[in-house]
Amino acid sequence: MKKRIAILGSTGSIGRQALDVIYEHVDKFQVVALTTNRNVELLAQQVEAFHPSYVGIVDSESVQEFKNYGLTGVEVLSGKECLKNIATLPEVDLVLVAVVGISGLEPTIAALEAGKDVALANKESLVAGGHLVVEAARKSESKIIPVDSEHSAIFQCLAGCDDPNKIKRIYLTASGGPFRNYSKDQLRHVTVEEALNHPNWRMGKKVTIDSATLMNKGLEVIEAHWLFGLSIEQIQVVIHPQSVIHSMVEYIDGSIIAHMGKTDMRLPILYALSWPQRLESSVGSLELAAMEPLTFEMPDFDRFPCLGLAYKALEIGGTMPVVLNAADEVAVEKFLRGEISFMEIPVMIEQAMKSHKAVQNPDLNTILRVDHGIRRQLM
């Protein structure tokens, strides 16, 4: 029987690659639903190729444009609620949450509460509302399968570990981004084009800038805390420029299990969609004898303060990670528009955190209220 998939954010980078994976394995997967914010031209192409029963268009004003394509056999849902509606469809087995931003939080919780397994590519769901997401999964006994390459690696390295007390620590690897060897003075003058030129990965603009500031790794630290139930002391970031080892788990006996693979997001996407099975991939294998030496170094918190801010937000807890995430999104957008410099990104985030008194154990409404307030404050 085919696994029935809904993709929230099918026109984004992860969504498009997920459909590439599904196309290679049409005998294993059935696309039930796709959503977009407003990229209805690409959505229409995807509908023609995969014939879903439902589509969701968050931007209601774009619905008529989609209908003008004259596609039949597909039900159109619209508005912000369409993400939750599609995430809870009875005919869906697995929901891939690949939307960007805090808009992924509510549909992620809704999918888990409805008993769906979730392939999670939305960092904000765990950063802003990790306790709510984990609790929803616990109650419904649904599974969260991480899509991020680092968390997918940890997820796979933990296979067969039935006791969390056996884990000493995990290592989240980071390439270091395009500015790994830049001085602080050089970092003050980097351009948007330079920051978008990641040496190893091809990702969306927001994630690429976050990788350059190391905020992406900071957000992953918070994600790892919730995904794997680890303390802040058990989560270590290590710079690994070759991006061959995607992360590692160290056990209490000193053994380290590492996950290696090509730098291609289709691999963790395929694993998340096919879990607990493994399927063949066209990505190919590493040529071990041809690889350059693998090196590791500690991150520089002084040159890349975003990483330290993320650890601080996790340490404080409550709504502070919400502030971190919202402030980062606004700051990155301002940088992309040329309104602030690269090194002003962490300054904006730190100022927002200092101005906020964290609310512990926030409910969903509090999270959304704080998120909206920080964005309005910084815009």
Side-chain angles (χ1 to χ4, degrees):
M1 180 182 293
K2 294 183 177 182
K3 186 179 290 188
R4 301 170 298 178
I5 310 290
I7 302 178
L8 308 186
S10 65
T11 58
S13 176
I14 295 295
R16 296 195 305 270
Q17 291 179 83
L19 288 173
D20 289 342
V21 167
I22 290 171
Y23 184 78
E24 288 186 12
H25 299 281
V26 292
D27 59 325
K28 302 293 184 181
F29 305 114
Q30 176 189 349
V31 176
V32 174
L34 303 171
T35 80
T36 187
N37 184 21
R38 62 171 63 92
N39 190 351
V40 293
E41 179 180 359
L42 179 54
L43 180 66
Q45 295 172 14
Q46 294 174 343
V47 169
E48 289 183 315
F50 294 93
H51 309 290
S53 300
Y54 302 87
V55 297
I57 303 172
V58 176
D59 178 28
S60 299
E61 295 182 0
S62 299
V63 171
Q64 186 55 52
E65 182 184 349
F66 176 81
K67 290 183 176 179
N68 290 340
Y69 286 95
L71 300 170
T72 60
V74 59
E75 182 176 341
V76 181
L77 308 178
S78 65
K80 293 181 180 180
E81 289 297 309
C82 76
L83 296 178
K84 289 174 61 176
N85 293 335
I86 283 179
T88 56
L89 287 169
E91 50 266 66
V92 168
D93 301 314
L94 175 75
V95 180
L96 170 58
V97 182
V99 295
V100 176
I102 202 166
S103 61
L105 177 57
E106 290 186 84
T108 296
I109 294 173
L112 292 167
E113 289 177 341
K116 315 295 183 185
D117 287 339
V118 170
L120 190 58
N122 174 266
K123 294 181 183 299
E124 294 80 6
S125 294
L126 288 171
V127 172
H131 61 296
L132 300 179
V133 173
V134 170
E135 180 63 11
R138 186 193 66 79
K139 286 184 176 179
S140 66
E141 298 184 350
S142 298
K143 194 70 176 178
I144 303 170
I145 307 111
V147 173
D148 271 353
S149 62
E150 294 81 3
H151 299 104
S152 176
I154 297 296
F155 186 78
Q156 295 178 61
C157 289
L158 288 173
C161 176
D162 56 1
D163 183 359
N165 292 319
K166 296 177 181 177
I167 304 167
K168 184 175 183 179
R169 65 172 67 90
I170 66 170
Y171 297 91
L172 296 173
T173 56
S175 70
F179 311 130
R180 179 172 62 91
N181 295 318
Y182 276 39
S183 67
K184 289 184 74 172
D185 185 61
Q186 287 176 304
L187 288 171
R188 293 187 183 97
H189 304 288
V190 301
T191 66
V192 172
E193 291 73 20
E194 290 171 331
L196 289 173
N197 187 26
H198 195 281
N200 299 338
W201 298 93
R202 292 295 170 261
M203 306 166 290
K205 289 184 177 181
K206 166 64 166 58
V207 178
T208 304
I209 300 301
D210 279 347
S211 294
T213 65
L214 290 193
M215 177 58 87
N216 196 46
K217 210 53 50 179
L219 298 177
E220 288 173 9
V221 168
I222 300 174
E223 287 182 272
H225 164 73
W226 292 112
L227 280 170
F228 308 115
L230 300 171
S231 69
I232 192 170
E233 294 79 17
Q234 289 177 291
I235 308 169
Q236 187 167 321
V237 172
V238 62
I239 304 299
H240 170 53
Q242 297 80 27
S243 295
V244 171
I245 293 177
H246 299 307
S247 279
M248 299 169 276
V249 174
E250 182 179 359
Y251 289 92
I252 56 175
D253 62 358
S255 299
I256 296 178
I257 297 179
H259 175 280
M260 302 171 66
K262 286 194 169 183
T263 54
D264 193 315
M265 279 304 299
R266 289 175 296 172
L267 286 174
I269 291 170
L270 174 61
Y271 185 76
L273 296 182
S274 62
W275 182 89
Q277 307 299 321
R278 284 189 185 270
L279 300 176
E280 290 188 20
S281 170
S282 63
V283 172
S285 305
L286 290 171
E287 296 182 22
L288 297 177
M291 287 195 312
E292 59 184 309
L294 305 183
T295 61
F296 305 91
E297 59 194 64
M298 297 305 296
D300 187 330
F301 286 80
D302 182 49
R303 287 186 297 128
F304 299 97
C306 283
L307 181 57
L309 291 173
Y311 271 104
K312 186 67 175 179
L314 177 57
E315 180 184 0
I316 295 171
T319 52
M320 194 58 76
V322 182
V323 175
L324 174 90
N325 178 74
D328 177 59
E329 287 193 19
V330 174
V332 169
E333 188 59 37
K334 283 179 174 287
F335 171 69
L336 288 170
R337 293 198 301 260
E339 296 175 10
I340 64 173
S341 70
F342 184 78
M343 290 302 286
E344 285 179 293
I345 294 175
V347 173
M348 279 190 65
I349 297 168
E350 185 174 21
Q351 289 174 346
M353 291 174 61
K354 286 182 176 178
S355 69
H356 179 72
K357 184 177 181 179
V359 179
Q360 298 300 322
N361 300 309
D363 58 17
L364 181 59
N365 287 334
T366 300
I367 291 171
L368 297 177
R369 175 177 56 79
V370 170
D371 176 81
H372 178 71
I374 291 296
R375 292 173 192 275
R376 185 176 55 194
Q377 172 186 323
L378 297 179
M379 291 299 286

